[in-house]
Amino acid sequence: MPDGAAHVEDGPLRRLLDDQRLVVRESFEHGEEHGLTAAERVLVSRAVPTRRREFAAGRRAARAALLELGAPATSILSGPRGEPAWPASVVGSITHCVGYVGVTVARRGDVRAVGIDAEPDLRLPDGVLETIASPAERSMVVALSADGRAVAWDRLVFCVKEVVFKIWYPLALSWLDFGDAEVVVDPDRGTFRASLLRPSHELAALCLPAVLRGRWSRERGVLVAAAWIEARARSGEAA
Ligand SMILES: CC(C)(COP(=O)(O)OP(=O)(O)OC[C@H]1O[C@@H](n2cnc3c(N)ncnc32)[C@H](O)[C@@H]1OP(=O)(O)O)[C@@H](O)C(=O)NCCC(=O)NCCS
């Protein structure tokens, strides 16, 4: 994917983020490690090859997306907690997992925040669901698993929580625990709700709605979830 040679035009993320104000680049391949700027190469100089390849795939896709948006496509460095350092006028999100890379960017004037996440459609390792999910979320996973659809519902709950974190962190610049969001998945509509269980004054200060609404899908063995907030969303509303 030099600037997106293997870019999928009509991929899962494009369908989830069904608004042209959000530019999307996605691919089901990471490709070789190339296309990084010198400053970006420094960020992964000590990383293992698979990490360098996924990082490079993300940065190439991000640069292609920035170009398409008409934004400066210079080095995209990382902030103190790993968040991509977008140009000031841009918001965006990056995700990669084995066999997938996705990026979205938008103008800050259009989109207040966006989060995307991709995970393999495979059950979480034993014991992980208990650490990331509430009793209600675990009951939901049990109920969804009983209906016979072969989706790794536990992994999807994790995936949605990563989406929430990627929205939260760039706005709050503070940690969000797995217990700080309660996820409800709609298996038929391909949607989800994530209630932010933080004090209302904190959410108001961040202009964040109490409930984030988003969409998810599964394609080629990859779960993808995404949510975004309009720049001009009224309090309590997310896209
Ligand atoms: C940071 C985190 C969300 C990344 O998710 P992941 O599923 O492990 O990996 P992904 O490939 O999907 O995403 C990695 C990308 O996320 C982005 N990212 C990393 N830290 C970030 C942050 N603090 N804020 C926003 N985006 C971040 C980066 O672009 C990163 O890719 P890069 O290093 O190549 O630039 C995850 O590792 C993490 O720390 N989670 C714990 C916090 C959490 O989820 N709390 C639950 C809230 S309900």
Side-chain angles (χ1 to χ4, degrees):
M1 199 155 85
D3 71 338
H7 168 61
V8 182
E9 279 300 334
D10 184 29
L13 190 60
R14 179 68 283 171
R15 289 194 294 277
L16 297 181
L17 295 174
D18 185 21
D19 189 303
Q20 294 309 311
R21 290 172 297 177
L22 289 142
V23 173
V24 167
R25 305 294 292 190
E26 58 188 321
S27 173
F28 286 93
E29 301 165 27
H30 288 178
E32 292 308 313
E33 180 196 341
H34 66 94
L36 292 177
T37 66
E40 290 166 345
R41 270 199 302 276
V42 170
L43 297 179
V44 284
S45 58
R46 294 179 179 192
V48 296
T50 48
R51 167 62 182 144
R52 292 207 305 266
R53 281 196 291 274
E54 71 167 23
F55 179 80
R59 286 316 191 260
R60 290 195 306 275
R63 236 185 302 288
L66 287 173
L67 278 172
E68 194 177 326
L69 190 68
T74 51
S75 291
I76 305 156
L77 302 181
S78 302
R81 216 200 160 281
E83 71 281 12
W86 300 109
S89 59
V90 171
V91 295
S93 188
I94 299 175
T95 187
H96 23 54
C97 69
V98 174
Y100 181 82
V101 56
V103 172
T104 187
V105 293
R107 298 209 167 272
R108 202 175 278 283
D110 294 328
V111 172
R112 174 156 171 70
V114 58
I116 62 173
D117 196 69
E119 298 287 334
D121 181 24
L122 298 170
R123 294 276 312 274
L124 290 170
D126 284 350
V128 173
L129 185 66
E130 288 67 25
T131 67
I132 63 117
S134 68
E137 289 168 333
R138 297 207 293 274
S139 299
M140 177 184 69
V141 167
V142 170
L144 290 170
S145 304
D147 91 347
R149 263 176 285 199
V151 174
W153 300 109
D154 57 348
R155 183 77 70 160
L156 182 60
V157 169
F158 176 76
C159 186
V160 169
K161 290 197 176 210
E162 301 296 65
V163 167
V164 172
F165 185 75
K166 289 177 184 181
I167 287 180
W168 171 270
Y169 186 83
L171 294 174
L173 298 178
S174 65
W175 185 252
L176 191 71
D177 274 329
F178 284 100
D180 286 330
E182 180 105 324
V183 174
V184 177
V185 169
D186 186 318
D188 302 312
R189 295 202 164 110
T191 58
F192 64 80
R193 282 184 289 120
S195 302
L196 291 169
L197 309 178
R198 296 290 284 239
S200 53
H201 65 83
E202 196 180 353
L203 299 180
L206 296 168
C207 292
L208 268 174
V211 178
L212 299 175
R213 291 185 170 77
R215 300 173 69 192
W216 67 273
S217 75
R218 177 177 62 159
E219 191 166 319
R220 301 199 215 176
V222 178
L223 295 168
V224 183
W228 60 287
I229 304 172
E230 292 250 10
R232 291 168 204 86
R234 291 195 303 271
S235 175
E237 270 183 10

